[in-house]
Amino acid sequence: RPRATGDDMDVDEAAVVDGTLASGRSAEEDGLLDCYPYTFSPLLLFAEASYFDKGYSNYNSVAAFFAGVLEVNMLENVLYERKNMLYEDLLHHVASQRMFVSCCIDAHFTAFQVLDERNLLYYDPLSAGLSLVSGESFNKLAGFLLLKCCYGDSQHMQENKAHYMGPDANPTRRMLYNLWRQINNLEVGSLHNVRFTPAPLDLERYLLVNGRRSPRSMSTQLTGNTCYFQ
């Protein structure tokens, strides 16, 4: 939460674009700067009138909001809306393309970044660090989050049990189907045989995510209603 007051201004460089604060005034003119986005709702004021008719995810709207000041495309290689794919195919696609997957579960934002086909970094705003998930844990966690966010063809599972549990089904299909059957009763913390390994990062320079007490940990959300700015 960068602040600047009086003559002793300490403005986060990330809040300044070409010497201008997010408020539109220069650092010299602005007496108080509080950049933390307390809620996602105000961003919807910047959406086009047709936004709500298109079924876009909140992540898509945030990407559009920052598009004018970022040099990267926040939508490139990112899964943020439903795909008409079987979950087995979607899991393979996400892994092979090393995608970033954003998830919103009961108003709680989480995400994971695929590093390769057997490893991912998992992020939860309620945690002060990232977690590395590998091996069989990779398939189970990634599959669970894809199912929980309804990113694939759930109707196919409902209508084609034999495809997933029949004699010709492979272990990935069986795993996905068993997760789907219990999806409304499962949370990330209740997944069996999923191992999370802390992934320490040097966050000294990344001021927007630093925790107040430790520059090597991320600030955490104090409520379950996290926002996509995280």
Side-chain angles (χ1 to χ4, degrees):
R1 183 183 300 179
R3 291 182 179 274
T5 56
D7 296 328
D8 298 321
M9 293 183 180
D10 184 12
V11 181
D12 188 338
E13 291 181 1
V16 181
V17 180
D18 295 330
T20 303
L21 298 176
S23 62
R25 297 184 294 271
S26 67
E28 290 75 15
E29 296 171 331
D30 203 298
L32 176 64
L33 175 64
D34 192 343
C35 290
Y36 191 87
Y38 293 96
T39 175
F40 171 75
S41 300
L43 279 186
L44 298 181
L45 297 175
F46 296 91
E48 297 179 357
S50 59
Y51 167 79
F52 299 96
D53 299 327
K54 294 180 179 179
Y56 288 155
S57 68
N58 288 344
Y59 181 88
N60 197 351
S61 183
V62 173
F65 179 78
F66 283 112
V69 294
L70 293 180
E71 297 180 357
V72 297
N73 182 358
M74 289 180 62
L75 301 182
E76 184 178 355
N77 208 35
V78 175
L79 180 62
Y80 56 89
E81 58 187 0
R82 186 179 180 277
K83 301 292 184 182
N84 188 26
M85 300 174 66
L86 300 184
Y87 277 101
E88 180 184 12
D89 297 334
L90 181 58
L91 180 60
H92 174 74
H93 176 70
V94 165
S96 63
Q97 298 300 312
R98 301 187 181 186
M99 296 184 72
F100 176 85
V101 179
S102 65
C103 307
C104 186
I105 303 171
D106 297 329
H108 180 65
F109 172 70
T110 60
F112 66 88
Q113 172 67 59
V114 177
L115 304 178
D116 55 43
E117 295 193 18
R118 301 292 289 174
N119 295 278
L120 64 80
L121 281 177
Y122 174 69
Y123 169 63
D124 185 337
L126 296 180
S127 173
L130 301 178
S131 297
L132 177 68
V133 179
S134 305
E136 290 304 314
S137 294
F138 170 96
N139 278 341
K140 195 163 191 178
L141 178 63
F144 168 77
L145 291 171
L146 293 175
L147 286 161
K148 196 73 171 179
C149 294
C150 300
Y151 276 145
D153 188 351
S154 298
Q155 185 174 353
H156 187 270
M157 284 190 160
Q158 185 176 354
E159 298 176 350
N160 298 274
K161 180 178 179 179
H163 177 79
Y164 297 92
M165 301 299 289
D168 296 328
N170 59 40
T172 299
R173 291 181 192 172
R174 294 177 184 274
M175 178 270 296
L176 290 170
Y177 188 84
N178 286 325
L179 286 173
W180 174 77
R181 286 174 54 195
Q182 309 173 64
I183 198 65
N184 293 326
N185 300 317
L186 289 176
E187 298 179 356
V188 170
S190 63
L191 293 176
H192 296 295
N193 300 321
V194 173
R195 181 179 179 182
F196 297 87
T197 303
L201 298 176
D202 184 357
L203 297 177
E204 288 184 355
R205 297 181 59 189
Y206 298 89
L207 304 179
L208 289 179
V209 295
N210 280 28
R212 283 187 173 186
R213 298 181 179 179
S214 172
R216 294 182 180 274
S217 65
M218 292 184 290
S219 60
T220 57
Q221 199 73 12
L222 300 181
T223 69
N225 187 19
T226 56
C227 75
Y228 282 76
F229 276 96
Q230 294 278 13

